[in-house]
Amino acid sequence: MQLISTSLDSGWELAERLPAGRDLFLLSGGEKLWLPATVPGHVHTDLVKAGVIADPFKRLAEWGARWVDESDWTYRTSIFVNAERLAARGIGGRHFLHFAGLDTLARVFLNGKYLGQADNYHRAWRFDVTEHLKEGENELRVEFDSALRVGREKAAAYIGDGSSDRGKTTYFNFPPRAFVRKPQYMFGWDWGPELVSCGLSGSVELLTVPVAEILHWKMNYTFISPSVVDIDFAITLRKYDSQPLTVKAVLFASGDTTPSTVLEGPPGEYTVPLQIRSFVTERWNPNGVEGPRKRHLLNLRLLTVPDDQGDEPEPLHRIAASVGFRTIELVQERDSPPAPAPRGYPGGASGGSSFQFKVNDQPLFIKGANWIPDHSLPTTITKHQLRQRLTAARDAGFNMLRVWGGGLYESLDFYSLCDELGILVWQDFGFACATYPDDDPAFVESVRAEAVANVRRLRHHPSLALWCGGNENVELHQGRWSGNDQATKFYGEKLILDTLPEVLKIENPQTPYWPNSPYGGVDCRDENSGDSHYWNVWHSKEPGSNGDWSNYEKCDTRFSSEFGFAAPAGLTAWKHALAPEDLTVRSLGSRWHDKTRKGYETYLGFIKMHFPEPQCFADLVYFGQCNQALAFAFGIEHWRRRKGRCGGTLFWQLNDCWPTHSWAVIDSAGEPKLAYYAIKRAYSPLLLSLRRAGRSIEAHLVNDRHQDIPGQLSVQLLTFEGEPVSLAEQAVTAPANAASGAQLALAIPGFIADAGTDVFVHALFRPESGEPVESFLLLADPKDLRLADPGFQTQVGEHSIMIEVQRFAAFVTLYFEGVSQQPQLSDNGFFLAPGQSRTISVSHLPDHQTLAQLAPQLRLRRL
């Protein structure tokens, strides 16, 4: 008899669980009004389906749904079990209820018998029901307590009267979320709503294990030559019977072997070692690196001992996985001597240490972003949705995503897609922007179990590049964000310096660990070592710096793991979320969906600093997105020009969890903002970057390829009509896997006013082989440019749109009006020089329409 798994995801109901006296008809307390429930799911989505609450993403409905998180909820279903299934117990088998996820504070009952409780969203839960199942119908009941209320109660009890060194409960110092192990962002963030919710967050199964099962497995490998690996497996299983078993591993790769061992012994837990030597002719490589992303199928099998004829019996339990082989290293080498600043940068860089990833022994400049959960209620996230977002990241040149600590340990679909697409994963553990009660033994043990479960679940993925102890916890303590209300001791230090490293030492010592982000040196804000979060543009308190993205040049970090600039979502997302009357610049609906905590007028002021004041909602979206595009491109190009000192950039953030004003470059409707395309250009393997240095323009080349690229470089100053003002040109070489420094400088003539309102800079690098690359630079704020109608000419093809201009055009943007979902474009928000044309590929057209049918709805906008 094999392991039997039966899904229990259907037939669920939910009800609010009221205390005694809360309801006239339930004086003794209990549930009323049972509603259909979706599993996996959240109480909010079921209440929306039933018409109890409005969609919390729409208008101000989030406000109206707050009572949901103050309430307790109960889920129930019925399980039918036949006599044959129950008979497995007679051959030493056991029956288990397996919950892939419980969100979060839950008690589980079967046929009125208490099975146990759960207190951690981030792990699976299993209950032995062998003694409780009966033939026929069985009632399964799960009671959830309000995570928000319990978190408040625990915070208040932990803080006491506020006289201890723990300080007082504040937004960052021991907030309610710090006491409940669930995704922190569900309590609200500066880009997301407060939808704490509850529910069965993973699938539910009835498992019958007759003889034995594999609990988990570990694979360590060593390259003994460029194409041969020695692999050590440790397969941990549990026996429920004394009969001998065969444990087998099969790796489907060239020259593999299929080792097996016979395990004898009484019931209990065993760890079985196996070794394979395999020829791996192709390694797994990240996106942008020449070479394949080769993966191999691994099959682990648990069988009874073969019969006398040697025939292999059917497996009692099998696990299939896709594995890849690569080496990864986080290099932190001391500077000796301190590296001088390149030309154009004042002063010299002081000593410190590098923060550089190497994959397959090759240095890799990291190009990527921070990732948040793709919906405020995570069970609604689909594999299709993840594929869209991650493919967009791949297409924009990303080679890494940081899975931020306030979100999820993502689904297996997420990591499998990263394996497939070549996107490395920097994985935070589930801590962000808070102090945590690490002197509570029960809390620490819950964190340990969470860490063990997720490390075991993810450690075999070739995309996994780094474990990190959390987000901004050290910075919070060192910076004392909450002032005198904050704890004086670092509560959380035990977790990141003891608990998590202890888990990794046993479970995944091969993957690098970084205690927190940012981190490095005595001061985690030290730019000479470790990683940095640079928020002195968006959150700066320095006069003249707040909102001015040119100040990114003030940061000379070794690795920029967070920086960001906010902008509105696209019009499609807003039209789904707001009523027509809300689509004004200062509507209450628009202000409610701004969670940036800057103050809405300050946010608008950041746009007006560089662009015209928005007169309508379409202006707000367009000017806001143009401003964000310039900000991200400026920051990324700055740090790429510092390649060699700087090891990479992970901007904040790739995606959104609801329709909002945020730092995301792909909104909740899946529509890329203009910044997405600007970043795609800034992450190009061969970058031509222009930088103004006083009265001259510098041209830098940044080359991520592993060979020199010679060619001809020109930098030209032109009027908007296309008349040449000045030109510099020479033969140069983009050095292999390096930044060139200033290769060419063009002086700005004295008769050009400092404002530069009538001219622009256009640079072109023509390699001896391959496609040319170009760059544009404005010498004045966009709002001050004196631009004429560019004279658009468009030609619509079967799968593309060609656009040509007579005069300079800035931020040329294509939009299809009145469609439910925007088509996918190869570029948007681009510049065109006079007489220049650009062909834009168009795909994923909505509603099976052709591009010719959509052509009448095409709208072009430019500055």
Side-chain angles (χ1 to χ4, degrees):
M1 183 176 180
Q2 295 177 302
L3 183 148
I4 302 172
S5 171
T6 302
S7 172
L8 304 179
D9 287 351
S10 61
W12 287 86
E13 298 177 303
L14 70 84
E16 185 180 9
R17 191 173 70 258
L18 298 170
R22 259 278 303 273
D23 187 276
L24 180 63
F25 301 104
L26 286 171
L27 297 178
S28 61
E31 296 92 4
K32 68 170 186 178
L33 194 63
W34 289 94
L35 303 171
T38 302
V39 175
H42 300 275
V43 62
H44 282 85
T45 52
D46 290 323
L47 295 178
V48 170
K49 289 177 184 177
V52 177
I53 62 172
D55 183 345
F57 282 14
K58 294 191 174 179
R59 307 196 77 188
L60 276 64
E62 176 205 355
W63 191 354
R66 284 183 168 173
W67 66 272
V68 176
D69 288 331
E70 302 283 354
S71 300
D72 299 325
W73 298 89
T74 298
Y75 284 69
R76 71 180 185 187
T77 192
S78 181
I79 309 170
F80 180 82
V81 181
N82 59 30
E84 182 182 3
R85 185 74 173 269
L86 287 177
R89 182 182 174 189
I91 55 172
R94 308 295 293 178
H95 303 289
F96 299 94
L97 278 175
H98 180 84
F99 295 87
L102 287 168
D103 180 14
T104 293
L105 304 174
R107 292 176 298 278
V108 181
F109 300 85
L110 183 67
N111 297 324
K113 304 287 181 61
Y114 173 70
L115 300 179
Q117 64 182 20
D119 62 358
N120 195 316
Y121 177 105
H122 300 298
R123 50 169 294 199
W125 294 88
R126 180 187 275 203
F127 303 95
D128 191 331
V129 294
T130 308
E131 309 299 329
H132 305 294
L133 278 180
K134 63 182 182 180
E135 185 177 352
E137 296 293 333
N138 293 260
E139 185 190 48
L140 176 58
R141 175 185 174 94
V142 184
E143 296 181 354
F144 290 96
D145 292 339
S146 163
L148 182 60
R149 186 190 69 247
V150 172
R152 286 191 193 126
E153 292 169 352
K154 288 189 174 185
Y158 191 77
I159 291 293
D161 61 7
S163 61
S164 71
D165 71 338
R166 294 171 179 172
K168 298 178 181 178
T169 296
T170 67
Y171 185 75
F172 299 113
N173 193 63
F174 296 119
R177 62 183 171 84
F179 297 85
V180 183
R181 293 307 300 149
K182 70 173 287 166
Q184 305 283 274
Y185 82 108
M186 297 178 78
F187 290 82
W189 222 263
D190 55 2
W191 35 258
E194 297 178 30
L195 298 171
V196 181
S197 205
C198 70
L200 298 162
S201 52
S203 292
V204 186
E205 297 173 286
L206 176 62
L207 297 177
T208 299
V209 186
V211 176
E213 62 179 323
I214 299 171
L215 299 179
H216 59 89
W217 59 281
K218 180 164 59 174
M219 178 182 75
N220 298 331
Y221 58 89
T222 303
F223 282 93
I224 60 172
S225 76
S227 61
V228 179
V229 288
D230 273 351
I231 310 168
D232 292 321
F233 290 100
I235 302 169
T236 301
L237 57 92
R238 179 174 288 129
K239 294 182 67 180
Y240 301 100
D241 188 274
S242 296
Q243 66 176 294
L245 300 174
T246 300
V247 186
K248 191 170 189 176
V250 181
L251 179 69
F252 294 93
S254 175
D256 68 318
T257 58
T258 56
S260 63
T261 188
V262 174
L263 174 67
E264 301 189 35
E269 188 170 302
Y270 296 84
T271 297
V272 179
L274 293 174
Q275 291 82 36
I276 296 177
R277 173 166 292 185
S278 183
F279 294 96
V280 180
T281 56
E282 296 176 322
R283 298 191 184 193
W284 184 91
N285 287 286
N287 186 35
V289 175
E290 290 185 11
R293 289 183 285 279
K294 185 67 175 179
R295 291 172 294 154
H296 308 276
L297 178 62
L298 172 68
N299 199 302
L300 304 177
R301 301 172 188 172
L302 190 59
L303 315 99
T304 57
V305 176
D307 57 27
D308 294 339
Q309 285 73 39
D311 295 332
E312 182 172 288
E314 282 295 311
L316 300 166
H317 190 193
R318 77 169 75 202
I319 293 177
S322 178
V323 297
F325 301 98
R326 85 295 181 266
T327 62
I328 191 154
E329 183 181 1
L330 177 59
V331 179
Q332 297 177 80
E333 296 176 343
R334 295 294 300 175
D335 298 331
S336 180
R343 180 185 169 197
Y345 287 82
S350 61
S353 58
S354 63
F355 194 93
Q356 173 82 57
F357 285 91
K358 291 178 75 172
V359 181
N360 295 326
D361 302 321
Q362 294 291 333
L364 183 70
F365 187 91
I366 294 301
K367 298 183 287 189
N370 286 262
W371 171 271
I372 66 169
D374 209 51
H375 197 281
S376 292
L377 300 170
T379 64
T380 65
I381 301 169
T382 65
K383 184 175 182 178
H384 173 72
Q385 188 174 335
L386 291 174
R387 180 174 287 280
Q388 285 184 318
R389 304 292 182 271
L390 296 176
T391 300
R394 188 272 313 272
D395 292 346
F398 290 24
N399 54 31
M400 180 179 279
L401 286 172
R402 174 184 174 225
V403 179
W404 168 74
L408 307 170
Y409 304 91
E410 286 286 342
S411 67
L412 291 180
D413 286 338
F414 176 90
Y415 301 97
S416 295
L417 286 166
C418 287
D419 294 343
E420 175 189 332
L421 298 170
I423 300 174
L424 294 165
V425 175
W426 167 321
Q427 178 66 56
D428 280 8
F429 286 97
F431 304 94
C433 303
T435 48
Y436 292 90
D438 64 354
D439 54 354
D440 176 357
F443 183 86
V444 173
E445 286 312 302
S446 180
V447 169
R448 187 186 305 276
E450 166 191 323
V452 168
N454 285 286
V455 172
R456 288 176 177 174
R457 189 172 67 98
L458 303 180
R459 61 191 172 191
H460 70 274
H461 285 277
S463 57
L464 181 64
L466 184 76
W467 290 102
C468 177
N471 177 76
E472 295 181 351
N473 307 104
V474 176
E475 184 180 54
L476 164 64
H477 173 69
Q478 291 182 348
R480 295 185 62 78
W481 296 354
S482 302
N484 293 330
D485 293 332
Q486 187 176 319
T488 54
K489 175 180 175 289
F490 178 19
Y491 287 87
E493 185 175 42
K494 179 178 180 179
L495 301 176
I496 69 169
L497 296 184
D498 296 331
T499 308
L500 299 176
E502 288 166 2
V503 169
L504 290 168
K505 184 178 180 180
I506 296 170
E507 301 292 345
N508 189 207
Q510 298 77 24
T511 302
Y513 175 68
W514 191 239
N516 219 245
S517 182
Y519 192 80
V522 177
D523 180 358
C524 70
R525 294 179 178 176
D526 182 2
E527 295 176 359
N528 289 313
S529 60
D531 69 314
S532 297
H533 293 188
Y534 192 74
W535 285 103
N536 279 358
V537 169
W538 188 263
H539 292 305
S540 176
K541 295 179 174 58
E542 299 176 15
S545 292
N546 209 359
D548 185 355
W549 33 259
S550 66
N551 286 287
Y552 283 126
E553 275 202 346
K554 293 181 178 179
C555 177
D556 199 21
T557 182
R558 310 310 295 261
F559 192 99
S560 185
S561 51
E562 268 195 34
F563 64 100
F565 205 93
L571 286 172
T572 301
W574 289 120
K575 288 176 180 178
H576 288 162
L578 301 181
E581 59 267 30
D582 296 327
L583 297 176
T584 61
V585 174
R586 288 179 170 81
S587 72
L588 184 57
S590 180
R591 286 187 282 130
W592 182 263
H593 284 249
D594 169 33
K595 303 290 186 180
T596 60
R597 299 190 177 100
K598 290 300 296 181
Y600 195 67
E601 290 303 318
T602 301
Y603 168 56
L604 295 179
F606 286 0
I607 298 172
K608 292 186 289 183
M609 185 181 296
H610 300 288
F611 285 84
E613 181 170 1
Q615 300 300 309
C616 62
F617 201 76
D619 281 355
L620 174 64
V621 171
Y622 178 68
F623 292 143
Q625 290 197 9
C626 289
N627 198 34
Q628 183 192 41
L630 285 181
F632 274 123
F634 189 93
I636 288 172
E637 289 192 25
H638 158 63
W639 284 304
R640 286 197 69 190
R641 292 194 300 266
R642 300 292 281 136
K643 181 175 181 174
R645 173 176 170 85
C646 180
T649 61
L650 296 170
F651 68 84
W652 187 270
Q653 66 212 58
L654 176 65
N655 58 322
D656 258 334
C657 65
W658 81 313
T660 187
H661 304 271
S662 85
W663 299 272
V665 300
I666 299 177
D667 67 23
S668 61
E671 184 179 334
K673 299 181 186 179
L674 298 184
Y676 167 82
Y677 300 99
I679 290 165
K680 183 178 180 181
R681 293 187 286 271
Y683 276 160
S684 172
L686 179 61
L687 172 69
L688 172 55
S689 176
L690 295 176
R691 176 177 181 265
R692 182 169 183 173
R695 298 292 301 177
S696 68
I697 307 300
E698 297 177 349
H700 297 244
L701 288 166
V702 186
N703 180 12
D704 290 336
R705 299 186 178 115
H706 290 273
Q707 59 274 344
D708 291 347
I709 302 178
Q712 194 74 14
L713 175 62
S714 64
V715 183
Q716 191 169 19
L717 190 64
L718 299 162
T719 70
F720 295 148
E721 295 289 335
E723 298 174 0
V725 177
S726 59
L727 170 69
E729 188 170 17
Q730 69 180 43
V732 299
T733 296
N737 202 22
S740 69
Q743 291 271 54
L744 186 63
L746 174 69
I748 301 175
F751 60 85
I752 297 293
D754 284 341
T757 55
D758 297 292
V759 294
F760 70 100
V761 182
H762 182 237
L764 190 65
F765 177 63
R766 298 182 180 87
E768 291 181 359
S769 62
E771 294 295 318
V773 293
E774 67 177 350
S775 183
F776 291 85
L777 182 68
L778 301 176
L779 299 184
D781 275 332
K783 66 182 179 182
D784 296 325
L785 301 179
R786 295 187 291 203
L787 293 164
D789 187 327
F792 282 127
Q793 293 184 354
T794 61
Q795 183 176 338
V796 177
E798 186 177 0
H799 300 293
S800 64
I801 299 170
M802 189 276 289
I803 301 169
E804 187 174 2
V805 296
Q806 299 173 13
R807 287 167 288 280
F808 177 70
F811 303 103
V812 178
T813 301
L814 293 74
Y815 180 77
F816 290 86
E817 190 169 30
V819 302
S820 59
Q821 189 73 36
Q822 290 295 306
Q824 185 172 310
L825 306 174
S826 60
D827 200 1
N828 214 358
F830 47 86
F831 290 12
L832 287 173
Q836 192 176 23
S837 66
R838 178 76 50 89
T839 298
I840 306 301
S841 299
V842 185
S843 60
H844 297 82
L845 301 176
D847 304 323
H848 307 290
Q849 292 179 285
T850 65
L851 188 53
Q853 291 171 323
L854 279 179
Q857 295 166 273
L858 174 64
R859 303 289 180 266
L860 291 181
R861 183 161 186 177
R862 44 82 188 177
L863 194 63

